[in-house]
């Protein structure tokens, strides 16, 4: 295979894309795979190229289409295979593996897994931060909003969070996690060392800063995921937790109101996969 030819071809079309070499490395690996050409193998290529948002998918797909067009011109793939890649949608590549790894039946399951992983963590990790961002994500708070939240935004008596003019009602179990963390003065690392938080009005803070930054949150998630993946076959993704929480609320709403919650085509596909995974319809 003359990969330089493919590189030159793409370079002419997408000269400013810094991801070009990364994409080509992915294609080399999938082409060398013994199952190359199977529909499922190509869907897995999208999955294995990191947790994809819709924008990333379309950026990746343009190279995939170019790759299969190039292979077709050389007689290495069939017309059917080439057209399959062109027709793939974002929903197609959100496989059951995505649900298995990143989605949970309930927020209680997320908290239980974090607790179960704590003794296996070898690196310094703030479990309180991990639980807090998981709860907030489940209740549809973005990274920007989470970082901006202040302790005063919490109302333990009402089990609610008031932020940017909107009130979010939180189940008592998870409100306790947030309010307990707000009152914490320190935390004990997995190595048994005590770290004291910098005094702050912000909910999310560290032993070094009054306000946490996204890198600290993602570093903690990465450490947790190394354990979750190895021992439990699961991973935490804040984006998926936001979707997961919405699915849970959609299901609860439909049960209580006997009606349809309005959502997009993507939600319909993933929502049904999530219900199938956890046999929600059999609970009725």
């Amino acid at each position: 295979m003359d990969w330089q030819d493919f590189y030159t071809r793409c370079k002419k079309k997408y000269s400013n894309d810094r991801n070009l070499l990364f994409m080509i490395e992915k294609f080399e690996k999938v082409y060398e795979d013994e199952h190359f050409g199977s529909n499922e193998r190509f869907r897995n290529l999208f999955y294995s190229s990191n947790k994809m948002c819709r924008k990333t998918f379309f950026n990746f797909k343009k190279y995939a289409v170019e790759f299969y067009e190039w292979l077709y011109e050389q007689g290495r793939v069939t017309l059917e295979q080439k057209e399959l890649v062109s027709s793939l949608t974002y929903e197609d590549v959100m496989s059951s593996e995505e649900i298995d790894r990143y989605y949970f039946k309930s927020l209680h399951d997320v908290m239980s897994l974090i607790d179960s992983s704590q003794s296996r963590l070898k690196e310094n990790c703030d479990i309180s931060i991990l639980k807090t961002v998981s709860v907030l994500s489940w209740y549809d708070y973005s990274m920007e909003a989470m970082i901006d939240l202040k302790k005063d935004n919490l109302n333990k008596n009402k089990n609610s969070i008031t932020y940017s003019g909107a009130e979010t009602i939180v189940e008592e179990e998870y409100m306790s996690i947030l309010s307990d963390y707000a009152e914490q003065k320190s935390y004990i690392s997995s190595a048994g060392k005590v770290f004291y938080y910098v005094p702050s009005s912000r909910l999310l803070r560290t032993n070094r800063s009054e306000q946490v930054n996204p890198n600290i949150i993602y570093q903690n998630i990465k450490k947790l995921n190394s354990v979750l993946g190895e021992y439990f076959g699961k991973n935490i993704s804040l984006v998926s937790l936001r979707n997961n929480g919405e699915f849970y609320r959609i299901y609860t709403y439909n049960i209580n109101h006997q009606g349809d919650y309005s959502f997009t085509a993507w939600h319909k596909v993933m929502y049904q996969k999530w219900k199938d995974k956890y046999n929600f319809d059999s609970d009725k």
Side-chain angles (χ1 to χ4, degrees), residues 143-150 153 163 202-204 211:
M143 176 66 77
E144 181 181 8
M146 288 192 288
I147 291 174
D148 193 43
L149 274 177
K150 294 185 177 180
N153 293 125
Y163 177 75
R202 302 286 178 183
L203 177 61
L204 286 164
Q211 185 177 24

Side-chain angles (χ1 to χ4, degrees), residues 49-193:
S49 64
N50 291 325
K51 182 72 174 58
M52 280 194 173
C53 64
R54 195 174 292 268
K55 181 179 178 181
T56 304
F57 165 76
F58 285 111
N59 186 52
F60 189 87
K61 183 183 174 181
K62 70 183 180 185
Y63 287 107
V65 170
E66 193 71 42
F67 178 51
Y68 269 64
E69 182 67 40
W70 179 65
L71 292 175
Y72 178 70
E73 290 171 4
Q74 300 176 60
R76 296 177 183 271
V77 296
T78 65
L79 178 62
E80 181 183 5
Q81 289 171 324
K82 180 175 80 76
E83 291 179 343
L84 169 70
V85 175
S86 297
S87 66
L88 281 176
T89 66
Y90 182 62
E91 287 76 19
D92 288 330
V93 302
M94 300 296 281
S95 67
S96 58
E97 187 175 0
E98 177 83 5
I99 293 290
D100 290 345
R101 181 166 290 270
Y102 289 101
Y103 286 75
F104 300 82
K105 184 172 185 178
S106 67
L107 184 53
H108 179 77
D109 288 354
V110 180
M111 297 297 106
S112 295
L113 267 185
I114 293 175
D115 284 334
S116 298
S117 67
Q118 189 168 0
S119 62
R120 295 184 170 95
L121 286 166
K122 297 178 181 178
E123 298 183 76
N124 176 36
C125 212
D126 189 338
I127 295 297
S128 296
I129 283 183
L130 287 167
K131 285 189 171 184
T132 297
V133 298
S134 295
V135 170
L136 292 173
S137 295
W138 188 272
Y139 283 95
D140 202 28
Y141 281 84
S142 65
M143 176 66 77
E144 181 181 8
M146 288 192 288
I147 291 174
D148 193 43
L149 274 177
K150 294 185 177 180
K151 297 173 184 176
D152 289 346
N153 293 125
L154 307 182
N155 188 324
K156 187 175 182 179
N157 294 327
K158 294 176 64 178
N159 290 326
S160 68
I161 307 169
T162 302
Y163 177 75
S164 194
E167 183 180 49
T168 302
I169 303 300
V170 179
E171 290 180 64
E172 185 175 356
E173 175 184 355
Y174 309 117
M175 193 66 211
S176 294
I177 290 173
L178 299 179
S179 55
D180 288 350
Y181 170 61
E183 296 172 4
Q184 271 185 238
K185 305 296 183 184
S186 63
Y187 74 95
I188 302 175
S189 73
S190 52
K193 186 175 181 180

Side-chain angles (χ1 to χ4, degrees), residues 1-10 23-32 36 67 70-71 74:
M1 290 289 289
D2 186 0
W3 292 102
Q4 182 61 44
D5 178 59
F6 180 58
Y7 174 80
T8 302
R9 177 184 179 131
C10 292
M23 299 293 185
I24 290 177
E25 286 178 6
K26 286 288 181 183
F27 293 140
E28 283 192 64
K29 289 180 181 177
V30 76
Y31 186 77
E32 292 167 359
F36 173 76
F67 178 51
W70 179 65
L71 292 175
Q74 300 176 60

